[in-house]
Amino acid sequence: MTVLCRSRYATMSMYEFDPKELLRPAFPGLEEEDLVELASVAEICSYPEGAVLCHEGDYGDTFFLIVEGEACVSKYLDEENPRRVLHALGPGEFFGEIALIQGGTRTATVDSEGPITVLQIHRDSLVRVLQRSAPMALRLVLRVTSRLRDADQMAIDDLRQINEELRRAYHNLERLDRAKGDFISVVGHELRTPLTVISGYANMIKTAPAVRDDVNLNLFMDGITTSIDRLQAIINSILDVSKIDTAALKVRMVPTSLVVLINEIEAEFRDVLEERQLVFDAVGIDRLPYIIADSDLLYKAFYHLVVNAIKYTPDYGQITVSGAIVQNEADGDVIEIVVADTGIGIDKEHHELIFDKFYQTGEVMLHSSGITKYKGGGPGLGLAIAKGAILAHGGRIWVDSPGYDEENLPGSRFYMHLPLTEWKG
Ligand code: ADP
């Protein structure tokens, strides 16, 4: 009989145990000749504490029956739980059969808890006896299914626990998000009041003769009032976003002319468009009907999209706002407004994320904080407000752009679909 103990720790004590008598209780009902065959190819080996008898994922061709000592069965879950203990095995119990039946790869790791003695049988001999002996095959199948059931139960328990942890983390995040929203809203309101006072005084000082007649002082005051306007715009955006977040946004639906809104936007940016030599075109908007909408909210949405088109398009570029009635699969006839530019474009991976508050692509080198300067940057709130405003109308908003490229300027197209709530009044 060839006896090969696989572990370098293994020592043999062949004469102490009778393999046939060890196998008999493990496989009751096994024919005597099968017991004899198995016993004849069995090896008895001893291993010290911590020896790895099976390693998860490794190829295995040996079946083990514990004679003396204990072993621990464990599985790798993830980096945080590299060793999830499944169960302990003691004398009379066997392991390593699943790899033999399933085709070679160990499904778990088994290591010795202390010094251990095992009876080992090579795959070929075991399979030969299995093919002949129904009771042994049945016993092995029962053992395998019971182990699989244990593993299933363990996985279900793990999932339950993870689910519970996720639920708690989600509630915690919700609570923190509410606290953050409240904080932002309170700070916004607190800042707005003194800023309004400062703005009032600054405008008064600007008109005072001593300042008006002094070119330098006049320049300084312009700087101050421009910065105050910018601060006010940021605070208003923060308050808008916090209203959208807390669902405190009030929608006031009134008959609304889209052409009037777009004309107002154009008027708002006329000086900037001229300064930056940008062409602004409105196409088809004048053919759109009056709709029932919240004109303030729609104004905000268009405002932020056009500010962005200005910010992310270099001088001499083109901004086009077009409108049409189109059909979309989900809603039928809708009003489609598209704000298109010939600017730096946006990579696909950011197309959804840019509508989240405070999200910026990180691809734009922020040159200055001016609201309409090329690549002027901002707090990352404009698109979140535009999205909130369009969703409040039951509409949809998305962007299409071939990608980000400051050299070739592929441009971006922001689409809005609004319900066709035509006003016939
Ligand atoms: P911000 O205040 O940073 O402009 P927004 O929410 O308005 O915040 O936009 C988020 C990001 O989306 C911007 O930082 C920019 O990277 C990108 N973006 C928005 N509009 C455009 C556009 N028309 N062209 C290119 N990039 C854009």
Side-chain angles (χ1 to χ4, degrees):
M1 170 170 58
T2 17
V3 179
L4 270 173
C5 283
R6 318 187 69 72
S7 164
R8 63 194 164 95
Y9 308 114
T11 58
M12 292 198 21
S13 41
M14 289 298 298
Y15 308 106
E16 242 177 81
F17 303 99
D18 177 354
K20 199 169 78 172
E21 293 317 310
L22 291 170
L23 286 163
R24 194 187 300 281
F27 301 108
L30 205 61
E31 298 289 331
E32 200 61 23
E33 70 177 294
D34 291 335
L35 272 178
V36 170
E37 177 174 350
L38 277 182
S40 71
V41 290
E43 313 163 326
I44 305 282
C45 296
S46 296
Y47 297 86
E49 179 177 352
V52 179
L53 304 178
C54 294
H55 192 270
E56 188 177 352
D58 282 0
Y59 176 78
D61 58 6
T62 309
F63 164 86
F64 298 88
L65 173 78
I66 299 179
V67 178
E68 270 182 351
E70 287 208 333
C72 173
V73 185
S74 61
K75 263 184 100 62
Y76 174 88
L77 270 196
D78 51 42
E79 267 174 35
E80 273 179 30
N81 305 286
R83 188 173 187 260
R84 169 78 155 92
V85 173
L86 301 183
H87 45 242
L89 297 173
E93 296 193 277
F94 52 84
F95 58 92
E97 76 287 3
I98 297 184
L100 301 191
I101 292 169
Q102 282 186 334
T105 317
R106 298 295 192 199
T107 53
T109 294
V110 183
D111 47 12
S112 57
E113 293 277 81
I116 194 169
T117 302
V118 291
L119 174 152
Q120 301 178 184
I121 302 174
H122 191 266
R123 174 194 165 92
D124 299 340
S125 322
L126 186 78
V127 169
R128 221 173 15 250
V129 175
L130 271 180
Q131 280 165 349
R132 274 205 313 265
S133 166
M136 183 168 172
L138 188 64
R139 191 147 164 71
L140 272 181
V141 168
L142 282 177
R143 177 60 66 97
V144 171
T145 40
S146 121
R147 293 246 172 97
L148 290 178
R149 217 179 291 128
D150 284 356
D152 276 356
Q153 190 53 47
M154 205 89 61
I156 291 169
D157 291 347
D158 283 344
L159 275 178
R160 270 207 196 105
Q161 195 187 332
I162 290 167
N163 199 23
E164 177 57 25
E165 280 166 19
L166 276 178
R167 205 180 53 78
R168 256 185 271 129
Y170 179 78
H171 283 305
N172 219 9
L173 278 178
E174 257 189 344
R175 194 179 51 74
L176 287 174
D177 201 47
R178 260 198 312 276
K180 189 193 68 192
D182 291 349
F183 173 76
I184 288 176
S185 163
V186 168
V187 168
H189 282 293
E190 290 299 320
L191 287 177
R192 195 154 68 166
T193 316
L195 205 58
T196 312
V197 177
I198 295 172
S199 169
Y201 283 131
N203 283 323
M204 280 165 62
I205 295 171
K206 234 171 125 174
T207 52
V211 176
R212 211 180 39 212
D213 302 338
D214 185 313
V215 181
N216 283 335
L217 281 183
N218 225 315
L219 264 179
F220 297 155
M221 283 314 296
D222 275 351
I224 291 175
T225 48
T226 312
S227 298
I228 291 172
D229 289 349
R230 173 104 181 98
L231 252 182
Q232 274 175 328
I234 292 176
I235 289 170
N236 287 339
S237 288
I238 288 176
L239 289 174
D240 282 342
V241 151
S242 93
K243 268 191 226 147
I244 289 167
D245 264 5
T246 54
L249 196 68
K250 289 199 178 63
V251 184
R252 274 178 290 268
M253 299 298 233
V254 291
T256 300
S257 159
L258 292 164
V259 72
V260 168
L261 285 184
I262 300 298
N263 284 343
E264 281 176 24
I265 299 275
E266 185 179 5
E268 167 87 32
F269 293 115
R270 189 159 296 139
D271 292 347
V272 175
L273 292 166
E274 211 174 288
E275 188 190 316
R276 299 267 321 277
Q277 297 284 299
L278 293 164
V279 176
F280 184 95
D281 264 342
V283 180
I285 307 282
D286 51 349
R287 288 197 295 275
L288 294 175
Y290 270 65
I291 55 168
I292 305 292
D294 184 319
S295 51
D296 287 346
L297 278 182
L298 283 191
Y299 181 88
K300 279 180 186 169
F302 301 154
Y303 173 94
H304 286 292
L305 292 186
V306 172
V307 163
N308 282 348
I310 294 174
K311 261 194 313 195
Y312 300 111
T313 304
D315 296 359
Y316 304 103
Q318 163 97 31
I319 294 164
T320 311
V321 180
S322 52
I325 294 177
V326 299
Q327 278 217 322
N328 90 26
E329 261 179 37
D331 311 307
D333 281 350
V334 291
I335 291 200
E336 179 177 271
I337 309 276
V338 184
V339 178
D341 62 51
T342 55
I344 55 181
I346 306 164
D347 275 342
K348 293 252 184 287
E349 67 197 83
H350 302 300
H351 285 189
E352 280 191 29
L353 295 169
I354 50 174
F355 292 96
D356 288 350
K357 58 180 184 289
F358 302 117
Y359 187 86
Q360 288 161 327
T361 60
E363 282 161 338
V364 182
M365 284 279 294
L366 304 179
H367 289 171
S368 93
S369 56
I371 1 177
T372 49
K373 294 272 187 306
Y374 177 44
K375 297 192 287 181
L381 296 173
L383 292 180
I385 295 171
K387 181 179 174 182
I390 299 300
L391 291 188
H393 284 82
R396 295 198 297 136
I397 181 168
W398 73 98
V399 67
D400 192 17
S401 170
Y404 171 82
D405 187 341
E406 283 193 39
E407 297 266 299
N408 296 309
L409 304 170
S412 309
R413 295 172 67 81
F414 283 84
Y415 288 83
M416 283 163 282
H417 277 186
L418 289 167
L420 183 56
T421 49
E422 201 171 336
W423 185 64
K424 303 251 169 56

